[in-house]
Amino acid sequence: MADKKDIDEISGVETTGHEWDGLKELNNPLPRWWLWVLYATIIWAVGYWILMPSWPLINDHTRGLLGHSDRAVVVERIEALEALRRERGGRLIEASLDEVVETPALLEFAMASGRGAFGDNCAGCHGAGGAGAPGYPNLNDDNWLWGGTLEDIQESILYGIRSDHPQTRLGDMPAFGRDGILDIEEMRAVAAYVRGLSGLEVAEGADLDLGATVYADYCAACHGPAGEGSRDLGAPDLSNNIWLYGADVETIVTSVREGRASVMPAWEGRLDPVTTKALAVYVHSLGGGE
Amino acid sequence: MTIRADTSTGGTSGAGTPPPLYAPQKKVYPQSVSGRFRNIKWAVMGVTLGIYYLLPFVRWDRGPDAPNQAVLVDFPGRRFYFFFIELWPQEVYYFTGLLILAALTLFLMNALAGRVWCGYLCPQTVWTDLFYAVERWVEGDRRERMKQASEPWTARHVRLAATKHGIWLLIAWWTGGAWVLYFADAPTLVYELATFQAPMMAWMWIGILTFTTYLLAGFAREQVCTYMCPWPRIQAALTDEWALNVAYRYDRGEPRVSLKEATKLRAAGEPAGDCIDCYQCVAVCPTGIDIRDGAQLECIQCGLCIDACDNVMARIGRPTGLIAYDNDINIERRREGLPELWRFVRPRTVIYAVVIALVGSMMLWSLLARDMLGVSVIHDRNPVYVQLSDGGLRNGYTVRLINKHNAPRELVLSLDGPPGARLEVVGAATQRADGHLVTVGPDTTRELRALVSVPPGSDLAASTPVTFHITDPDTGEREAAADFFRAPAPANTP
């Protein structure tokens, strides 16, 4: 440093005394506020090292005096959320399904959580709006294979259909063709007859007499003499306009030949009781239930 | 408008170099003054700050199910309460009306008497004025403060500065404290703050507003008006020659000579103005300008220079009003010996007043006539329609009923749709001959799932209009929401 202050003539600013090829470096110090902020952040950092977990060690890290842990915070928040759910859901558990539907506050809660749970667990097969697909029942209509009351729906959710749950709903549609019980003529005849049961057009030349005989011998036991179905066995009503797999002759023949045994998993143990109850209420509300 | 180049800080380099655009801030030390406008400012400060700090504690009975705070912004409950008015989130457009009214009132004030808002009412002015009062009380008047600023720090200076900043911070803290009281039940929140149980959010906002108040009223002061605020620029474009402004009456004041000189000149029959160049108007100015330079951007027209000048004029036995609310037209007319002319009723003021009255009455009318009942409908997106076992069709809807009354209401929901259409409501509804009876709680909405079915063979077009009606059988109020009933397009029907 020069002993005397060297002032740049043009700018009036002191120089550092460093010179390169006649160019002098001006001494414009950092703004004071900027320096103070820097010092403050340094002090902050030191305080942070002491108070908060910061330095990695070989097997661990420094814990900090405050003992803060993000993991502990997450655990705490999840517990708080679950406590809140228990509190809200507790009332749902105590109330009967009918009470839930009749109490606006409970209904609102059940519908909201049911909607979420449906999207997470049911929409994969039944569709986002519960409209179903061939083989997966539409939950918006008024046709219920196993019953459409709140209790029926809850039971279907809890135990499933043809699931591995001991209390599952069970019912078999045998493979009449594959097992050699009926030949193709008989199957075509009964398919035409079944179409006739629900007033659908029957192809000309179909042997309805044979169809009626086959129906009475093999189908009526489960589906009922007039095709009204049976909820105890989950046998579909064949006399209405709802066709789970399709109403064309080929699809019906396939059903008769190969049988049908679609599965709905049991949700007991996978979903908590509050969620199953909320789901029952939500599904019931989709089409108004029974 | 006079544009003044500040040459005192200009560059030292040779002639021809323009002065630098940057000028360092010159600290202003306004002197205390008393008089008519100072009294008006004290009164306005008392009223405006009184309203701000005390309003959250005013109670207003709304019945058992609603908060009893007169003015409350209830974010969790999504309501805004203002005495007898209660607004729902979808009614925030009333605030647009309020902003229009505020802007027009500002324009009207400006057309009548210039920057009344800036000089007396603006929070920046009011709080800065309060902070200046504290500064004067602690550190003394202009001379003492300027002297202290030029001296090195002593123990006494430190003590005074600590006292001043302590009081400033206290005021600033209480300003932030009052702010948060508008967003929660005030007495409860005060108790929570006193016992350190208040939510983090409250502390945060108090902190933010403490900081901004301290910064803006304690340090930024007139720079907010000069550099940050857009209004001085807009104001200059909106004013006209008839508007009153704080003005130096140069017709009377010029030429400026000392009292002694003036007596001598006048005795000799030579012109001598009333202005004795005492600089009192400059000393009291909170923005540190000289009003005698004419109307200027920095002038907030607080009238304190009028008080200062009037005091001097009274002391030297000359008529007051050398600085006064005036306009150039009258200054010129007086100079030409013509009588003064005041014109407050002009197309500009009339139009502002008429529009204010119009917007105000429209808002009042819509507020008084607004529906206390409402209904909205959303059609199910998936599935759009459902085939029923008997061959009929069904559509699902989400219906929301709105009850703005502070008491539960029984409402009848009914449907106007294609022939044979039947309405069902899921849960908690009683079927009646005229529809479904639904109870909606006080000041709330209720969401219902509604199903509309048509019998087989209805043969509907792809989209048929339906209307959901909502009726209050007690009051006869009716509301309706329109939607559509969807069916498979006829060509695709099997």
Side-chain angles (χ1 to χ4, degrees):
Chain A
M1 283 287 273
D3 293 340
K4 218 181 100 198
K5 275 188 185 172
D6 184 14
I7 307 292
D8 176 60
E9 270 179 30
I10 296 163
S11 62
V13 175
E14 192 188 341
T15 74
T16 58
H18 305 155
E19 191 179 331
W20 292 270
D21 298 339
L23 296 176
K24 284 181 179 173
E25 187 187 14
L26 299 187
N27 184 13
N28 280 314
L30 289 165
R32 214 171 338 155
W33 66 266
W34 192 95
L35 272 181
W36 282 114
V37 171
L38 174 69
Y39 297 147
T41 52
I42 291 170
I43 294 166
W44 177 273
V46 173
Y48 195 94
W49 295 342
I50 298 167
L51 295 175
M52 301 290 281
S54 48
W55 287 103
L57 306 174
I58 290 168
N59 293 319
D60 198 10
H61 56 83
T62 57
R63 297 280 171 186
L65 291 181
L66 292 182
H68 176 85
S69 156
D70 282 344
R71 279 174 194 278
V73 171
V74 171
V75 169
E76 205 173 284
R77 286 188 189 166
I78 289 175
E79 270 170 14
L81 180 68
E82 276 171 359
L84 188 72
R85 281 191 184 146
R86 270 197 298 280
E87 185 204 317
R88 296 263 176 89
R91 275 180 286 159
L92 205 61
I93 281 298
E94 286 157 23
S96 74
L97 283 162
D98 288 324
E99 278 166 5
V100 172
V101 174
E102 292 305 320
T103 317
L106 289 180
L107 179 64
E108 199 179 329
F109 178 71
M111 287 284 281
S113 56
R115 185 178 293 123
F118 189 88
D120 288 347
N121 302 291
C122 317
C125 296
H126 289 285
Y136 303 98
N138 185 342
L139 303 174
N140 288 268
D141 61 24
D142 59 344
N143 184 51
W144 297 92
L145 290 171
W146 300 91
T149 65
L150 284 161
E151 284 74 18
D152 288 338
I153 295 171
Q154 191 181 25
E155 198 181 322
S156 295
I157 296 169
L158 280 174
Y159 309 136
I161 291 152
R162 300 177 200 95
S163 73
D164 50 7
H165 194 281
Q167 284 167 269
T168 186
R169 295 187 184 278
L170 271 179
D172 276 325
M173 169 80 184
F176 290 97
R178 204 175 57 206
D179 292 350
I181 301 166
L182 297 176
D183 62 30
I184 188 67
E185 299 275 295
E186 290 165 321
M187 288 191 284
R188 288 202 173 278
V190 82
Y193 177 77
V194 163
R195 275 177 65 85
L197 282 178
S198 49
L200 291 175
E201 193 189 325
V202 177
E204 256 178 68
D207 192 345
L208 286 178
D209 290 337
L210 177 62
T213 316
V214 172
Y215 184 86
D217 288 352
Y218 296 99
C219 313
C222 294
H223 289 287
E228 66 273 22
S230 161
R231 288 185 170 178
D232 293 333
L233 300 163
D237 183 334
L238 302 177
S239 62
N240 66 13
N241 286 274
I242 311 284
W243 294 86
L244 185 53
Y245 291 89
D248 59 298
V249 175
E250 282 316 307
T251 308
I252 299 172
V253 168
T254 306
S255 298
V256 177
R257 190 175 64 226
E258 305 292 338
R260 296 289 186 189
S262 51
V263 172
M264 154 127 171
W267 294 92
E268 193 186 39
R270 298 168 72 179
L271 296 178
D272 62 77
V274 176
T275 309
T276 14
K277 208 160 187 176
L279 268 175
V281 171
Y282 176 71
V283 170
H284 186 265
S285 81
L286 284 176
E290 284 180 348
Chain B
M1 188 127 312
T2 316
I3 297 163
R4 294 161 308 129
D6 195 343
T7 48
S8 63
T9 55
T12 49
S13 41
T17 315
L21 290 170
Y22 171 78
Q25 169 61 18
K26 275 196 276 181
K27 199 163 162 31
V28 182
Y29 298 92
Q31 187 176 295
S32 72
V33 65
S34 59
R36 183 151 45 117
F37 291 99
R38 181 64 265 182
N39 289 342
I40 293 174
K41 275 175 76 72
W42 285 132
V44 171
M45 185 198 284
V47 171
T48 50
L49 290 186
I51 290 173
Y52 176 72
Y53 288 119
L54 298 178
L55 192 54
F57 296 98
V58 177
R59 302 287 101 182
W60 188 268
D61 186 24
R62 292 188 185 86
D65 296 316
N68 66 344
Q69 187 159 318
V71 180
L72 178 67
V73 184
D74 182 5
F75 274 122
R78 294 179 185 82
R79 297 285 183 274
F80 172 70
Y81 300 96
F82 185 85
F83 293 95
F84 63 97
I85 301 172
E86 180 191 330
L87 294 185
W88 288 42
Q90 59 264 46
E91 291 165 330
V92 285
Y93 52 79
Y94 281 110
F95 288 100
T96 316
L98 216 58
L99 289 174
I100 294 172
L101 275 187
L104 288 168
T105 311
L106 192 64
F107 299 165
L108 180 62
M109 286 196 292
N110 182 46
L112 292 174
R115 291 168 66 174
V116 176
W117 171 260
C118 306
Y120 306 91
L121 293 162
C122 176
Q124 175 63 26
T125 292
V126 172
W127 262 283
T128 303
D129 211 19
L130 179 65
F131 273 44
Y132 269 134
V134 171
E135 191 170 86
R136 265 200 302 276
W137 182 64
V138 175
E139 296 183 336
D141 210 346
R142 177 176 160 91
R143 277 168 200 287
E144 285 93 64
R145 298 209 302 279
M146 289 172 89
K147 185 162 167 284
Q148 280 163 37
S150 66
E151 286 170 357
W153 285 84
T154 64
R156 183 171 166 276
H157 288 183
V158 172
R159 185 167 52 76
L160 290 182
T163 315
K164 178 179 84 174
H165 288 282
I167 298 173
W168 278 1
L169 279 169
L170 214 64
I171 295 171
W173 185 84
W174 192 236
T175 304
W179 176 260
V180 298
L181 298 184
Y182 285 90
F183 297 85
D185 183 58
T188 313
L189 187 56
V190 168
Y191 174 78
E192 286 172 353
L193 287 169
T195 52
F196 297 100
Q197 295 168 335
M200 196 60 207
M201 200 51 95
W203 293 109
M204 240 175 61
W205 277 105
I206 292 177
I208 291 171
L209 280 139
T210 304
F211 173 73
T212 51
T213 310
Y214 181 61
L215 183 76
L216 295 180
F219 300 92
R221 295 178 162 177
E222 79 284 352
Q223 299 178 73
V224 174
C225 314
T226 314
Y227 300 116
M228 289 164 67
C229 179
W231 176 231
R233 283 89 185 155
I234 305 167
Q235 186 267 343
L238 282 174
T239 193
D240 67 354
E241 68 277 20
W242 291 103
L244 292 188
N245 280 301
V246 174
Y248 164 63
R249 286 170 165 161
Y250 52 86
D251 57 319
R252 228 189 91 187
E254 302 293 321
R256 305 170 198 172
V257 285
S258 72
L259 199 52
K260 230 184 248 173
E261 195 72 19
T263 325
K264 230 186 278 173
L265 283 173
R266 283 178 188 176
E270 302 221 12
D274 275 348
C275 177
I276 56 166
D277 227 1
C278 65
Y279 278 92
Q280 279 305 293
C281 53
V282 178
V284 300
C285 180
T287 68
I289 57 160
D290 189 341
I291 187 68
R292 296 172 300 170
D293 291 342
Q296 47 207 294
L297 184 96
E298 294 89 338
C299 177
I300 59 168
Q301 298 188 10
C302 59
L304 291 183
C305 50
I306 301 180
D307 283 345
C309 191
D310 281 355
N311 292 345
V312 171
M313 288 296 130
R315 221 174 299 146
I316 62 173
R318 286 182 184 167
T320 58
L322 179 56
I323 301 174
Y325 272 99
D326 206 343
N327 57 29
D328 275 343
I329 288 182
N330 281 317
I331 292 178
E332 286 306 319
R333 284 179 71 88
R334 277 196 303 272
R335 199 180 248 179
E336 291 162 20
L338 295 168
E340 289 175 339
L341 200 58
W342 308 105
R343 199 173 283 173
F344 293 107
V345 182
R346 326 192 280 280
R348 162 183 312 252
T349 54
V350 171
I351 289 170
Y352 288 148
V354 166
V355 179
I356 288 173
L358 217 64
V359 173
S361 41
M362 258 167 62
M363 279 178 66
L364 196 69
W365 175 77
S366 75
L367 205 59
L368 294 176
R370 82 195 176 118
D371 292 319
M372 302 301 278
L373 187 69
V375 57
S376 63
V377 178
I378 306 172
H379 193 287
D380 274 7
R381 289 183 176 200
N382 173 16
V384 174
Y385 55 83
V386 182
Q387 166 108 63
L388 297 181
S389 55
D390 64 356
L393 285 175
R394 182 153 71 193
N395 281 202
Y397 303 84
T398 304
V399 179
R400 188 174 281 278
L401 308 181
I402 302 164
N403 173 20
K404 291 182 185 170
H405 268 312
N406 236 326
R409 278 173 133 184
E410 300 229 295
L411 303 170
V412 176
L413 178 70
S414 56
L415 178 85
D416 198 359
R422 201 163 54 85
L423 172 70
E424 290 169 82
V425 174
V426 174
T430 325
Q431 182 124 31
R432 309 198 329 177
D434 55 348
H436 296 264
L437 193 66
V438 184
T439 310
V440 184
D443 191 42
T444 188
T445 67
R446 181 155 170 211
E447 195 179 272
L448 298 170
R449 181 161 172 76
L451 304 165
V452 176
S453 316
V454 295
S458 289
D459 198 22
L460 294 175
S463 184
T464 313
V466 292
T467 313
F468 289 85
H469 293 283
I470 187 89
T471 316
D472 186 336
D474 297 334
T475 63
E477 284 172 88
R478 287 176 69 87
E479 283 294 325
D483 210 309
F484 292 92
F485 187 92
R486 300 277 177 177
N492 299 338
T493 318

